[in-house]
Amino acid sequence: MEKKNFKLNAAFINKNRSYLLLVLIMICGLFAKNFYTPYNIQAVTGNGSLVIWLGLGFTIVLIAGHMDMTVMYMSTFAALLTLGLHADQKLPWLVCVIIGALMGILNGLIMGLLVTKLKIHAFIASIGMQLVLRGVMYVYCNGKELSIGKDYTWNDMLNGKLIPFLPLSTYFLITTIFIFGVMVILRYTRLGRNIHMVGGNAETAWLAGIKSDMVVIAAFVISGLAAGLGGALNGIYSGAANVTMGEKGISPFYMAFTACVIGGTDIYGGKGSVIWTYVSLIMIAFLKALCKSTELQVLVIGAALVLCLVYETVAKYNRDKVLGRRPNLYIEYKNETGNAK
């Protein structure tokens, strides 16, 4: 087996940019007063958990070659529904969370069917479903904020520490476990491989016998599940929810999208990792904690997004010039000449 030599070059830096940016932010935190206190770490990771759920779903659909922009509204609706069912219908917290997750699955299923069966572009379908979800939320709660009520058992549990010696909330640990579970599915199962293949080239995947429509629907369903479950848990964790959640400051949706791009998920589909997105979102959470000003947060995160988008666009253009229109031209060239450059 040929031994690969380590090279610190532009390709290595770009491939691991989410990890390198996280390390950079962590180093900057050393110079901030009381930044690495257990309370601050627990608060930063806990408050950033919702965006991780949104980034998870958005990444999966993006790998499949589409875009699910309903994740923010779906998570908000799940939070409102969970709190409302517990406060008004007196249902147990577990039942409320399951119902919130099921509503997310239903939303993902509808999105998948709109995109695959009715052939509606995912962007247009997302805008339509956003309006539907927003309307349903206003009807459900009349635009009012819903609170957790008098039962704080699950709120205390999610805000508490599952592992006493780790300064991490139970909510964040549940989020992390779910992330790694989806990572296993994407890396080591047929569904995960098919999601990458369909996103990379839907026509080739179809010719290979893959049921592309079912794969795309599955990606949207997983995204809906993540948004619904994450939103339901976040409503309990925060203790309150309203229709306009996330509209002040930087929208969680845009943070999730930025993390996908920074993490290296291809905006054209076929390439990406939920772990890359996960690391990028943790980096953004600590970056927000470092930048106290909302204006500075918007500026820094926006600049990072633009730079990564420009780089990905230029890199794709250069790859297309080398590879040509036919995917096998580069392989043929390498076999004939022995030149791998």
Side-chain angles (χ1 to χ4, degrees):
M1 182 180 293
E2 183 180 353
K3 185 178 180 182
K4 295 183 179 179
N5 295 323
F6 171 76
K7 292 183 179 180
L8 182 60
N9 51 25
F12 174 84
I13 294 174
N14 177 63
K15 183 179 180 181
N16 298 278
R17 61 194 181 197
S18 57
Y19 301 100
L20 296 175
L21 285 172
L22 178 60
V23 171
L24 178 62
I25 296 300
M26 291 300 185
I27 293 175
C28 292
L30 294 173
F31 302 95
K33 186 178 180 180
N34 298 326
F35 186 74
Y36 284 119
T37 60
Y39 175 80
N40 191 50
I41 294 175
Q42 183 174 344
V44 170
T45 54
N47 294 335
S49 293
L50 174 62
V51 188
I52 295 176
W53 288 96
L54 304 185
L56 165 65
F58 195 85
T59 299
I60 293 172
V61 176
L62 202 60
I63 293 173
H66 297 278
M67 187 177 293
D68 186 3
M69 298 172 60
T70 67
V71 289
M72 181 63 219
Y73 286 97
M74 185 60 244
S75 66
T76 303
F77 176 53
L80 289 168
L81 187 62
T82 300
L83 296 178
L85 289 175
H86 182 75
D88 299 333
Q89 306 302 324
K90 309 302 179 184
L91 295 178
W93 280 124
L94 180 60
V95 175
C96 297
V97 170
I98 292 175
I99 293 175
L102 290 175
M103 291 304 298
I105 292 175
L106 177 61
N107 176 73
L109 179 61
I110 294 173
M111 278 293 300
L113 292 174
L114 290 175
V115 171
T116 58
K117 302 305 179 183
L118 298 183
K119 306 301 179 183
I120 301 175
H121 194 282
F123 181 78
I124 304 301
S126 292
I127 293 177
M129 286 303 297
Q130 282 182 345
L131 295 175
V132 170
L133 288 169
R134 194 173 182 87
V136 171
M137 285 189 285
Y138 272 111
V139 171
Y140 181 72
C141 66
N142 294 321
K144 299 178 181 177
E145 181 178 88
L146 298 182
S147 64
I148 198 170
K150 298 180 180 179
D151 185 1
Y152 282 84
T153 52
W154 273 48
N155 176 270
D156 293 337
M157 182 267 292
L158 292 176
N159 279 276
K161 296 180 182 180
L162 185 64
I163 304 175
F165 59 85
L166 284 180
L168 302 172
S169 66
T170 303
Y171 181 34
F172 177 74
L173 290 178
I174 293 174
T175 304
T176 302
I177 292 170
F178 195 89
I179 285 283
F180 278 91
V182 174
M183 181 270 291
V184 171
I185 293 174
L186 288 178
R187 286 190 181 182
Y188 304 109
T189 67
R190 178 180 295 179
L191 174 61
R193 292 189 292 270
N194 289 347
I195 288 175
H196 283 85
M197 290 183 66
V198 170
N201 193 318
E203 183 179 352
T204 302
W206 180 80
L207 292 173
I210 296 174
K211 296 180 180 179
S212 301
D213 286 356
M214 296 302 296
V215 171
V216 172
I217 291 174
F220 275 104
V221 167
I222 297 174
S223 175
L225 171 61
L229 183 56
L233 293 175
N234 188 72
I236 302 173
Y237 172 83
S238 302
N242 58 69
V243 178
T244 58
M245 284 177 62
E247 294 186 2
K248 295 181 180 179
I250 306 176
S251 169
F253 169 77
Y254 290 112
M255 285 193 287
F257 176 67
T258 301
C260 289
V261 176
I262 292 177
T265 301
D266 195 334
I267 57 176
Y268 301 100
K271 174 191 172 185
S273 168
V274 294
I275 298 299
W276 295 346
T277 302
Y278 173 75
V279 173
S280 299
L281 284 169
I282 293 176
M283 180 272 296
I284 290 176
F286 279 99
L287 176 63
K288 285 185 63 183
L290 278 174
C291 302
K292 303 298 183 181
S293 168
T294 302
E295 293 80 1
L296 184 59
Q297 293 174 8
V298 173
L299 176 62
V300 173
I301 294 176
L305 174 61
V306 171
L307 288 173
C308 289
L309 284 173
V310 170
Y311 178 86
E312 291 295 337
T313 303
V314 173
K316 184 178 185 301
Y317 173 75
N318 291 331
R319 287 197 302 269
D320 289 344
K321 285 200 306 182
V322 173
L323 297 178
R325 293 284 182 180
R326 290 165 52 195
N328 60 336
L329 275 181
Y330 176 66
I331 298 176
E332 293 176 5
Y333 170 77
K334 185 173 67 173
N335 292 337
E336 291 178 3
T337 64
N339 186 0
K341 294 183 180 180

